[in-house]
Amino acid sequence: MATQRSYHYIRIGSTLNIRNSYQYLVLNEAELAIRAAHLAKEVQGSLQVLCVASIIAITDKILPESVKKMLLEVLRMTDIEKWLREEGREEGRVEGRMEGRVEGREEGREEGKEMVAIAALKEGLPPETVARFTGIPIDKIRKIASTHLPQ
């Protein structure tokens, strides 16, 4: 009850007495973050974005994922929520591009090794030697030899 009174005082812009301030401050981090988010939603204009962004930045490292989800539910339909969704999409795109580059490089290295193996086999090097120098398993070297060398 006292914390609801404190919340009401903050919401209407009144100052808190010492007792109400203390009761408000002893709330756990999760409840405090949720209440702060409710207050921030009531702020109008660009100050709302600043308030919400501050809450998210401060709580991101200290709150468990379940509470972060609750916090985002409270913040639904604010400009910051739309911004966060877009930022998440962009992070996903960047990660996807990076993974694609890494996979492409790995495929390129493998293709390069296979080309070296084919050339070495055509020069007459034994499959065991080619496997040792390229790092390609001997079974794969034999398969390469059977497909790329005349029988």
Side-chain angles (χ1 to χ4, degrees):
M1 180 67 178
T3 56
Q4 288 178 344
R5 200 171 342 153
S6 300
Y7 176 69
H8 175 73
Y9 291 144
I10 291 171
R11 190 167 173 231
I12 63 172
S14 296
T15 56
L16 298 175
N17 63 33
I18 298 213
R19 182 173 173 237
N20 288 341
S21 296
Y22 177 75
Q23 288 171 336
Y24 198 73
L25 290 175
V26 296
L27 296 173
N28 67 42
E29 292 92 356
E31 188 176 344
L32 202 55
I34 299 297
R35 287 185 179 206
H38 281 290
L39 284 171
K41 278 184 73 170
E42 295 180 20
V43 174
Q44 299 300 314
S46 61
L47 187 56
Q48 181 189 57
V49 174
L50 177 65
C51 291
V52 172
S54 298
I55 292 166
I56 291 171
I58 291 167
T59 60
D60 186 50
K61 302 293 182 205
I62 62 171
L63 294 179
E65 287 301 315
S66 60
V67 177
K68 288 179 193 177
K69 286 180 183 177
M70 286 181 2
L71 186 60
L72 288 177
E73 284 298 316
V74 170
L75 297 174
R76 265 202 197 285
M77 304 313 290
T78 62
D79 288 340
I80 199 77
E81 189 254 349
K82 293 172 190 167
W83 176 76
L84 287 171
R85 285 182 186 272
E86 184 55 39
E87 184 178 283
R89 284 188 198 107
E90 183 59 30
E91 281 181 25
R93 286 195 276 284
V94 168
E95 285 179 21
R97 284 192 294 265
M98 289 176 68
E99 286 176 14
R101 286 184 187 132
V102 168
E103 287 176 15
R105 286 184 190 127
E106 288 173 9
E107 287 176 12
R109 284 187 197 110
E110 290 301 313
E111 286 177 17
K113 285 181 182 182
E114 287 182 19
M115 291 176 69
V116 169
I118 292 167
L121 290 167
K122 285 182 178 179
E123 288 296 318
L125 286 173
E128 294 77 15
T129 304
V130 175
R132 191 176 62 220
F133 284 118
T134 61
I136 299 173
I138 188 67
D139 295 339
K140 190 167 182 180
I141 293 292
R142 288 188 179 118
K143 187 175 181 180
I144 291 170
S146 68
T147 56
H148 292 296
L149 296 179
Q151 299 299 323

